[in-house]
Amino acid sequence: MVMTVVDGSRWIVVDIDNTVANTNRELVRKFGGSLDEYSFNQVPQGFFGTSEGLRLLQDAVAFPDAAWALRALMSLGARLQYVSCRPAGALSVTERWLQVNGFPKGPVLTGLSRKCKVYIVAGAMRPGMVFEDDPVVAASITPMVGMVWLKDWPYNRKHPPPERPWPATVLRFDTWAEILHIALEARNGLLPKRSGRGNRKSKVLETS
């Protein structure tokens, strides 16, 4: 298989919460609960549109190396788009958070439902690479995008069921240091061979 680097005409789409921002940590601190399920039942409906909810989003810690990894990918010619199911009113907080935490500039979309997010990413954009934590979104967009990197969490480890494993274009990662390492290797012309498939980690940077 030929390994290629994202070229200047290709997009990388990046989810915010629990992909680059550790929002789960703030939610557990405030509401308790378990990370075994994607949705926190303890979070009141509309919470993230309140001043308290916006402060929680603002206080979320960026995952180590996430900003550097995205900058390294952009140095390969990638174009960046941030997408989020945060409420539309969280746009300015999100843009400020990205700036304060050193993330590369890119357009930011908020106020998306899960369904709308899937439509924009898989239907309108069809990017070469997506970084996501939601297993439902990942499964929905996989047929239409080049590669999905799934940020590892307990709630997405049980997806998909064993009889229907992830395709080879869905790769799980634990830390952004892994992505940074891969991007730097690609920038230096060192593209290693595939070492994993489906829901197993891989050390390959490629697009379809």
Side-chain angles (χ1 to χ4, degrees):
M1 179 180 293
V2 177
M3 302 304 169
T4 59
V5 178
V6 183
D7 65 40
S9 67
R10 301 301 296 273
W11 286 91
I12 291 179
V13 172
V14 181
D15 173 61
I16 303 290
D17 292 305
N18 306 311
T19 301
V20 295
N22 194 353
T23 312
N24 277 338
R25 186 174 77 167
E26 303 305 316
L27 290 173
V28 170
R29 283 176 173 176
K30 183 168 182 60
F31 297 105
S34 168
L35 295 177
D36 289 335
E37 300 296 332
Y38 178 75
S39 298
F40 273 81
N41 295 325
Q42 299 91 336
V43 180
Q45 187 173 3
F47 171 75
F48 292 112
T50 67
S51 58
E52 187 178 13
L54 292 174
R55 281 197 302 273
L56 185 146
L57 297 177
Q58 182 177 303
D59 291 341
V61 175
F63 286 113
D65 296 313
W68 284 109
L70 293 178
R71 288 185 178 277
L73 289 172
M74 289 189 74
S75 75
L76 299 173
R79 303 170 69 189
L80 195 61
Q81 170 77 61
Y82 299 99
V83 297
S84 177
C85 292
R86 292 179 172 189
L91 176 60
S92 60
V93 167
T94 303
E95 291 176 330
R96 176 63 176 161
W97 184 92
L98 290 167
Q99 180 184 19
V100 167
N101 286 282
F103 283 86
K105 291 182 179 180
V108 181
L109 283 176
T110 59
L112 304 178
S113 65
R114 221 181 206 176
K115 184 176 180 181
C116 186
K117 184 179 184 181
V118 168
Y119 172 78
I120 289 174
V121 174
M125 295 191 68
R126 299 193 179 187
M129 194 175 296
V130 178
F131 291 93
E132 179 63 69
D133 74 299
D134 184 342
V136 174
V137 171
S140 300
I141 65 176
T142 293
M144 306 303 294
V145 304
M147 175 176 287
V148 177
W149 287 90
L150 191 66
K151 181 74 173 72
D152 186 58
W153 286 99
Y155 53 75
N156 61 37
R157 290 174 192 161
K158 51 188 164 186
H159 296 274
E163 64 272 15
R164 289 187 291 112
W166 289 114
T169 53
V170 179
L171 302 172
R172 189 179 297 274
F173 70 105
D174 295 324
T175 70
W176 279 93
E178 300 168 46
I179 307 300
L180 176 60
H181 175 73
I182 294 167
L184 293 176
E185 283 192 328
R187 191 169 67 182
N188 293 329
L190 302 172
L191 288 170
K193 295 181 180 180
R194 179 181 299 276
S195 62
R197 289 178 59 87
N199 63 349
R200 300 173 64 185
K201 289 184 291 184
S202 173
K203 293 185 176 298
V204 172
L205 178 65
E206 64 175 22
T207 58
S208 61

